[in-house]
PDB file of all heavy atoms in Angstrom:
ATOM      1  N   MET A   1      33.821  18.010  12.884  1.00 35.00           N
ATOM      2  CA  MET A   1      33.103  17.099  13.692  1.00 35.00           C
ATOM      3  C   MET A   1      31.954  16.535  12.879  1.00 35.00           C
ATOM      4  O   MET A   1      31.078  17.232  12.370  1.00 35.00           O
ATOM      5  CB  MET A   1      32.574  17.801  14.958  1.00 35.00           C
ATOM      6  CG  MET A   1      31.732  16.927  15.819  1.00 35.00           C
ATOM      7  SD  MET A   1      31.296  17.809  17.293  1.00 35.00           S
ATOM      8  CE  MET A   1      29.542  17.864  17.072  1.00 35.00           C
ATOM      9  N   GLU A   2      31.939  15.214  12.706  1.00 39.00           N
ATOM     10  CA  GLU A   2      30.863  14.581  11.934  1.00 39.00           C
ATOM     11  C   GLU A   2      29.886  13.877  12.850  1.00 39.00           C
ATOM     12  O   GLU A   2      30.249  13.233  13.788  1.00 39.00           O
ATOM     13  CB  GLU A   2      31.430  13.539  10.964  1.00 39.00           C
ATOM     14  CG  GLU A   2      30.428  13.012  10.004  1.00 39.00           C
ATOM     15  CD  GLU A   2      31.110  12.232   8.875  1.00 39.00           C
ATOM     16  OE1 GLU A   2      32.075  12.707   8.354  1.00 39.00           O
ATOM     17  OE2 GLU A   2      30.532  11.157   8.554  1.00 39.00           O
ATOM     18  N   THR A   3      28.588  14.132  12.611  1.00 42.00           N
ATOM     19  CA  THR A   3      27.571  13.575  13.479  1.00 42.00           C
ATOM     20  C   THR A   3      26.883  12.437  12.756  1.00 42.00           C
ATOM     21  O   THR A   3      26.540  12.524  11.585  1.00 42.00           O
ATOM     22  CB  THR A   3      26.519  14.657  13.792  1.00 42.00           C
ATOM     23  OG1 THR A   3      27.197  15.798  14.369  1.00 42.00           O
ATOM     24  CG2 THR A   3      25.496  14.146  14.725  1.00 42.00           C
ATOM     25  N   THR A   4      26.711  11.376  13.424  1.00 45.00           N
ATOM     26  CA  THR A   4      26.019  10.216  12.864  1.00 45.00           C
ATOM     27  C   THR A   4      24.686  10.073  13.588  1.00 45.00           C
ATOM     28  O   THR A   4      24.608  10.061  14.813  1.00 45.00           O
ATOM     29  CB  THR A   4      26.807   8.892  13.034  1.00 45.00           C
ATOM     30  OG1 THR A   4      28.114   9.191  13.396  1.00 45.00           O
ATOM     31  CG2 THR A   4      26.760   8.156  11.758  1.00 45.00           C
ATOM     32  N   GLU A  93      23.223  21.129  15.021  1.00 81.00           N
ATOM     33  CA  GLU A  93      23.917  20.133  15.928  1.00 81.00           C
ATOM     34  C   GLU A  93      25.133  20.869  16.443  1.00 81.00           C
ATOM     35  O   GLU A  93      26.150  21.087  15.713  1.00 81.00           O
ATOM     36  CB  GLU A  93      24.293  18.902  15.084  1.00 81.00           C
ATOM     37  CG  GLU A  93      24.800  17.740  15.865  1.00 81.00           C
ATOM     38  CD  GLU A  93      23.679  16.950  16.479  1.00 81.00           C
ATOM     39  OE1 GLU A  93      22.538  16.998  16.042  1.00 81.00           O
ATOM     40  OE2 GLU A  93      24.019  16.212  17.433  1.00 81.00           O
ATOM     41  N   GLY A  94      25.121  21.288  17.631  1.00 84.00           N
ATOM     42  CA  GLY A  94      26.259  22.081  18.213  1.00 84.00           C
ATOM     43  C   GLY A  94      26.242  23.433  17.505  1.00 84.00           C
ATOM     44  O   GLY A  94      25.256  24.157  17.511  1.00 84.00           O
ATOM     45  N   ASN A  95      27.404  23.764  16.885  1.00 88.00           N
ATOM     46  CA  ASN A  95      27.539  25.014  16.179  1.00 88.00           C
ATOM     47  C   ASN A  95      27.335  24.848  14.677  1.00 88.00           C
ATOM     48  O   ASN A  95      27.463  25.803  13.914  1.00 88.00           O
ATOM     49  CB  ASN A  95      28.900  25.606  16.421  1.00 88.00           C
ATOM     50  CG  ASN A  95      29.083  26.074  17.878  1.00 88.00           C
ATOM     51  OD1 ASN A  95      28.087  26.505  18.497  1.00 88.00           O
ATOM     52  ND2 ASN A  95      30.309  26.043  18.386  1.00 88.00           N
ATOM     53  N   ALA A  96      27.060  23.652  14.230  1.00 88.00           N
ATOM     54  CA  ALA A  96      26.934  23.382  12.816  1.00 88.00           C
ATOM     55  C   ALA A  96      25.489  22.961  12.420  1.00 88.00           C
ATOM     56  O   ALA A  96      24.771  22.427  13.263  1.00 88.00           O
ATOM     57  CB  ALA A  96      27.910  22.281  12.447  1.00 88.00           C
ATOM     58  N   TRP A  97      25.189  23.226  11.178  1.00 88.00           N
ATOM     59  CA  TRP A  97      23.906  22.766  10.611  1.00 88.00           C
ATOM     60  C   TRP A  97      24.210  21.487   9.817  1.00 88.00           C
ATOM     61  O   TRP A  97      25.138  21.395   9.040  1.00 88.00           O
ATOM     62  CB  TRP A  97      23.314  23.798   9.716  1.00 88.00           C
ATOM     63  CG  TRP A  97      22.735  24.943  10.466  1.00 88.00           C
ATOM     64  CD1 TRP A  97      23.395  26.090  10.845  1.00 88.00           C
ATOM     65  CD2 TRP A  97      21.460  25.082  10.983  1.00 88.00           C
ATOM     66  NE1 TRP A  97      22.567  26.966  11.522  1.00 88.00           N
ATOM     67  CE2 TRP A  97      21.338  26.349  11.651  1.00 88.00           C
ATOM     68  CE3 TRP A  97      20.325  24.252  10.963  1.00 88.00           C
ATOM     69  CZ2 TRP A  97      20.195  26.751  12.288  1.00 88.00           C
ATOM     70  CZ3 TRP A  97      19.128  24.713  11.581  1.00 88.00           C
ATOM     71  CH2 TRP A  97      19.098  25.924  12.213  1.00 88.00           C
ATOM     72  N   ILE A  98      23.381  20.481  10.040  1.00 87.00           N
ATOM     73  CA  ILE A  98      23.519  19.260   9.276  1.00 87.00           C
ATOM     74  C   ILE A  98      22.246  18.972   8.510  1.00 87.00           C
ATOM     75  O   ILE A  98      21.179  19.433   8.894  1.00 87.00           O
ATOM     76  CB  ILE A  98      23.871  18.017  10.213  1.00 87.00           C
ATOM     77  CG1 ILE A  98      22.777  17.810  11.235  1.00 87.00           C
ATOM     78  CG2 ILE A  98      25.178  18.232  10.869  1.00 87.00           C
ATOM     79  CD1 ILE A  98      22.916  16.517  12.011  1.00 87.00           C
TER      80      ILE A  98
END
Side-chain angles (χ1 to χ4, degrees):
M1 177 175 116
E2 190 166 316
T3 304
T4 345
E93 190 81 20
N95 291 330
W97 287 90
I98 60 169

